[in-house]
């Protein structure tokens, strides 16, 4: 399922993968099976042989002071609205409505990627502190069922993002 990044390989690369190539950031491509659930296409995580805690979801939210903001957290955790609001300087935050997502990010639900969003809009991006201690994480590469595995510290530096405690406690 995975393909090692090789600059000489003729792969069907996403825009995100081309951005990473240009920035000289090493990554590994992954393609995952997906399933349709109503209007939303989702990864079939149960079929993956990867620790859920390594896979990160990109949540696009909005704050009354900041406008759009991006939180990146493990798929097996939930973002804390209260912590995220405080970290971003807002009183309250909420998810961008699904019908406004493409207009806000350029990506459909399930394909949002901090890399592409940064490239196009430069919204503030915050990664869970969990990512800081992991050698590699997977984030979407801008297409449903497609991700890249890379070093989170290099990614945060490239994006001008920050690590923050933004997940709920168990």
């Amino acid at each position: 399922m995975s393909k090692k990044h090789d600059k000489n390989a003729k792969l069907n690369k996403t825009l995100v993968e081309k951005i990473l190539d240009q920035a000289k950031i090493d990554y590994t491509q992954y393609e995952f099976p997906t399933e349709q659930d109503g209007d939303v296409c989702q990864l079939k995580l149960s079929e993956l042989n990867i620790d859920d805690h390594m896979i990160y979801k990109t949540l696009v939210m909005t704050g009354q002071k900041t406008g759009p903001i991006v939180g990146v957290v493990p798929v097996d955790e939930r973002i804390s609205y209260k912590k995220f609001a405080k970290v971003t300087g807002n009183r309250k935050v909420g998810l961008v409505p699904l019908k406004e997502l493409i207009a806000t990010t350029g990506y459909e639900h399930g394909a949002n990627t901090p890399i592409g969003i940064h490239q196009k809009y430069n919204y503030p991006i915050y990664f869970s502190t969990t990512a800081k201690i992991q050698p590699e994480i997977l984030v979407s590469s801008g297409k449903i069922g497609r991700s890249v595995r890379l070093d989170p510290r290099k990614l945060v530096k490239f994006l001008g993002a920050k690590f923050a405690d933004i997940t709920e406690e168990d």
Side-chain angles (χ1 to χ4, degrees):
M1 282 280 182
S2 69
K3 298 175 186 170
K4 185 69 181 162
H5 167 63
D6 178 358
K7 289 182 181 178
N8 298 321
K10 292 188 177 188
L11 301 173
N12 185 16
K13 294 185 178 186
T14 65
L15 174 61
V16 165
E17 292 159 351
K18 292 174 184 174
I19 292 167
L20 292 172
D21 286 344
Q22 191 173 24
K24 297 182 180 4
I25 296 174
D26 289 331
Y27 63 90
T28 304
Q29 296 174 324
Y30 281 82
E31 287 189 66
F32 300 120
T34 59
E35 64 186 353
Q36 196 69 28
D37 184 11
D39 291 339
V40 177
C41 190
Q42 303 211 349
L43 293 180
K44 294 170 80 172
L45 295 177
S46 60
E47 293 185 18
L48 303 179
N49 192 17
I50 296 174
D51 179 6
D52 287 358
H53 207 62
M54 277 188 65
I55 303 169
Y56 279 64
K57 57 189 171 186
T58 303
L59 301 171
V60 183
M61 305 184 93
T62 188
Q64 89 288 354
K65 289 184 181 179
T66 60
I69 45 180
V70 179
V72 186
V73 300
V75 295
D76 62 349
E77 293 186 16
R78 293 193 312 199
I79 197 162
S80 166
Y81 284 45
K82 186 176 179 179
K83 288 180 181 179
F84 199 53
K86 185 175 181 181
V87 163
T88 60
N90 290 286
R91 282 191 319 274
K92 281 176 83 174
V93 296
L95 285 170
V96 169
L98 201 53
K99 65 183 179 190
E100 296 173 18
L101 196 57
I102 293 174
T104 305
T105 68
Y107 295 94
E108 62 184 309
H109 177 77
N112 275 295
T113 170
I115 302 158
I117 293 170
H118 167 75
Q119 186 78 8
K120 190 168 184 176
Y121 295 102
N122 202 24
Y123 298 146
I125 301 173
Y126 298 84
F127 281 73
S128 168
T129 52
T130 308
K132 193 175 194 177
I133 59 172
Q134 292 183 274
E136 293 183 312
I137 63 171
L138 279 91
V139 296
S140 173
S141 66
K143 184 177 175 189
I144 293 175
R146 190 82 172 260
S147 293
V148 288
R149 182 177 183 162
L150 41 65
D151 181 329
R153 289 159 300 283
K154 288 181 181 176
L155 180 58
V156 165
K157 183 178 179 182
F158 173 67
L159 299 177
K162 296 179 181 170
F163 289 107
D165 178 13
I166 57 174
T167 56
E168 290 184 356
E169 303 295 322
D170 287 334

